[in-house]
Amino acid sequence: MAALKYAGLEDTDSEEELPPGWEERTTRDGWVYYANHLEEKTQWEHPKSGKRKRVAGGLPYGWEQETDESGQVYFVDHINKRTTYLDPRLAFTVEDNPVKPPTRQKYDGNSTAMEILQGRDLSEKVVIITGANSGIGFETAKSFALHGAYVILACRNMSRGNDAVQRILGEWHKAKVEAMTLDLASLHSVQQFAEAFKSKNVPLHILICNAATFGAPWCLTEDGLESTFQVNHLGHFYLVQLLEDVLRSSSPARVVVVSSESHRFTEIKDSSGKLNFSLLSPSKKEYWAMLAYNRSKLCNILFSNELNRRLSPHGVICNSVHPGNMMYSSIHRSWWVYTLLFTLARPFTKSMSSFLFREYRLSLQTDSICVTLVGSM
């Protein structure tokens, strides 16, 4: 009992009574969590009973759920004309009895995209995926579309994009999927894509920045920038900026940036610790394809972290992900040497059908007080 008192959990009339400094709150999707204002932390378990709870049923008649500018959920009582941050459903909570987990974890290296999304109804979601005509992008687009989402394949090559659309429709003729032109090596093309998408007057719930080039010889884009840097990072950076208003108005929304574990093997700062812009878009003399790719992937992560810091209070979560070291794709196509190496390694890699899709669960998570990045970043 002394230990309980020391921890601020002294005995009360009920185990459900909260200790001083604690507050009961709910997430947008009805899960109960507890905020400790003294220690400035939150947790799912009741601080005394250790139980997890969720609200039962919908809001009472006349009540509506809203979100303020900081992303905090509040409730409007239209009958009595008042607002409160206290969920009226807290009076009708039920205990969440978690089922004992099986000995095999739910998802592992053999999980497929379709297994991850099993049971998901995405019929109200709008998704944009760059580089979606092949590889990881195509598997992602197909999986979302087969679960009811309206999916836009943002592709540089429209012929391949339309072929990818037909392949998805061949699996389910009612899939809502289309291809749109997007060349990340052209900032004008990025702008045109954003304008064309906005003209559809639809929300945007999930944006997956997947397209990338690897091992490409040095060349400049029409914008005068090294192509690997622009395609892998800057083009996506500009795309997100142009679509930010749509993402915010569609909250809860998600941005997923496909990066790589190779971001660890490079640096973009000079000897004084300042950002060296010449490293991002190097001259032909200073260019090395592998290093350029690594730097672009590091830029992806830095961008994703800052974007999440700025937009998460507005209901837009951003995460960078590593798709897996042993994943065979067509990213090696820029140079025959890389193609040879990837071909030799292919017997030891995962096929697309068993693509480890756990990273993209981040784009599907329901609104909650925190989003934990799972995977191997």
Side-chain angles (χ1 to χ4, degrees), residues 122-192:
L122 305 179
S123 56
E124 301 298 322
K125 302 298 183 182
V126 179
V127 184
I128 293 177
I129 305 170
T130 67
N133 59 273
S134 64
I136 293 173
F138 174 76
E139 290 299 317
T140 307
K142 180 182 72 174
S143 300
F144 280 140
L146 295 183
H147 284 80
Y150 169 33
V151 183
I152 294 176
L153 285 65
C155 305
R156 177 177 57 86
N157 187 315
M158 278 302 292
S159 176
R160 293 179 180 176
N162 289 326
D163 286 345
V165 168
Q166 293 305 312
R167 287 161 61 192
I168 295 173
L169 291 174
E171 296 201 28
W172 186 36
H173 70 283
K174 292 185 178 180
K176 294 174 289 184
V177 58
E178 68 170 299
M180 292 178 61
T181 302
L182 173 64
D183 184 359
L184 293 166
S186 166
L187 297 182
H188 179 64
S189 175
V190 176
Q191 185 178 31
Q192 285 185 318

Side-chain angles (χ1 to χ4, degrees), residues 71-374:
Q72 179 71 39
V73 174
Y74 66 96
F75 302 87
V76 181
D77 181 356
H78 292 289
I79 296 177
N80 297 307
K81 295 181 171 49
R82 64 189 180 97
T83 62
T84 177
Y85 285 91
L86 184 66
D87 191 334
R89 297 172 296 175
L90 284 173
F92 308 96
T93 58
V94 295
E95 185 176 348
D96 176 42
N97 296 311
V99 179
K100 184 178 180 181
T103 54
R104 178 183 178 273
Q105 66 186 56
K106 189 173 183 180
Y107 305 117
D108 59 21
N110 295 314
S111 301
T112 65
M114 299 302 289
E115 289 173 346
I116 299 296
L117 292 176
Q118 183 177 2
R120 294 275 187 171
D121 180 10
L122 305 179
S123 56
E124 301 298 322
K125 302 298 183 182
V126 179
V127 184
I128 293 177
I129 305 170
T130 67
N133 59 273
S134 64
I136 293 173
F138 174 76
E139 290 299 317
T140 307
K142 180 182 72 174
S143 300
F144 280 140
L146 295 183
H147 284 80
Y150 169 33
V151 183
I152 294 176
L153 285 65
C155 305
R156 177 177 57 86
N157 187 315
M158 278 302 292
S159 176
R160 293 179 180 176
N162 289 326
D163 286 345
V165 168
Q166 293 305 312
R167 287 161 61 192
I168 295 173
L169 291 174
E171 296 201 28
W172 186 36
H173 70 283
K174 292 185 178 180
K176 294 174 289 184
V177 58
E178 68 170 299
M180 292 178 61
T181 302
L182 173 64
D183 184 359
L184 293 166
S186 166
L187 297 182
H188 179 64
S189 175
V190 176
Q191 185 178 31
Q192 285 185 318
F193 173 87
E195 292 173 352
F197 174 77
K198 288 182 175 181
S199 69
K200 295 178 179 293
N201 294 315
V202 296
L204 176 56
H205 302 104
I206 302 171
L207 171 58
I208 298 179
C209 301
N210 164 77
T213 182
F214 171 81
W218 182 89
C219 70
L220 295 178
T221 66
E222 63 182 48
D223 302 294
L225 297 165
E226 191 278 312
S227 61
T228 300
F229 170 64
Q230 179 163 336
V231 171
N232 293 5
H233 171 64
L234 192 61
H236 284 128
F237 176 92
Y238 188 39
L239 178 64
V240 173
Q241 304 308 303
L242 294 175
L243 297 178
E244 179 181 331
D245 57 334
V246 185
L247 286 164
R248 289 176 59 156
S249 65
S250 307
S251 66
R254 301 288 180 267
V255 178
V256 179
V257 183
V258 181
S259 182
S260 170
E261 186 73 12
S262 64
H263 79 278
R264 301 181 186 278
F265 310 115
T266 189
E267 186 57 83
I268 57 175
K269 294 185 291 186
D270 58 24
S271 57
S272 64
K274 295 182 179 180
L275 179 63
N276 188 343
F277 288 98
S278 65
L279 295 177
L280 301 181
S281 182
S283 64
K284 185 175 184 179
K285 181 180 179 181
E286 299 173 330
Y287 179 78
W288 181 31
M290 191 68 220
L291 196 55
Y293 177 80
N294 294 351
R295 287 168 177 163
S296 70
K297 297 292 104 178
L298 177 57
C299 288
N300 287 161
I301 292 177
L302 296 175
F303 166 57
S304 174
N305 290 348
E306 179 62 18
L307 185 68
N308 187 67
R309 187 186 71 82
R310 296 189 183 191
L311 296 189
S312 57
H314 304 284
V316 181
I317 300 298
C318 182
N319 285 285
S320 53
V321 301
H322 172 53
N325 292 324
M326 299 302 288
M327 181 69 226
Y328 184 84
S329 71
S330 59
I331 197 171
H332 56 80
R333 60 186 177 273
S334 298
W335 190 29
W336 70 268
V337 174
Y338 289 125
T339 300
L340 176 61
L341 293 174
F342 273 68
T343 301
L344 292 175
R346 185 163 190 174
F348 309 100
T349 64
K350 301 169 190 170
S351 67
M352 280 297 168
S353 61
S354 61
F355 169 46
L356 182 55
F357 208 66
R358 67 181 181 272
E359 290 88 355
Y360 289 126
R361 282 187 292 155
L362 295 168
S363 64
L364 298 173
Q365 287 178 336
T366 52
D367 204 28
S368 58
I369 59 172
C370 64
V371 176
T372 303
L373 178 59
V374 292

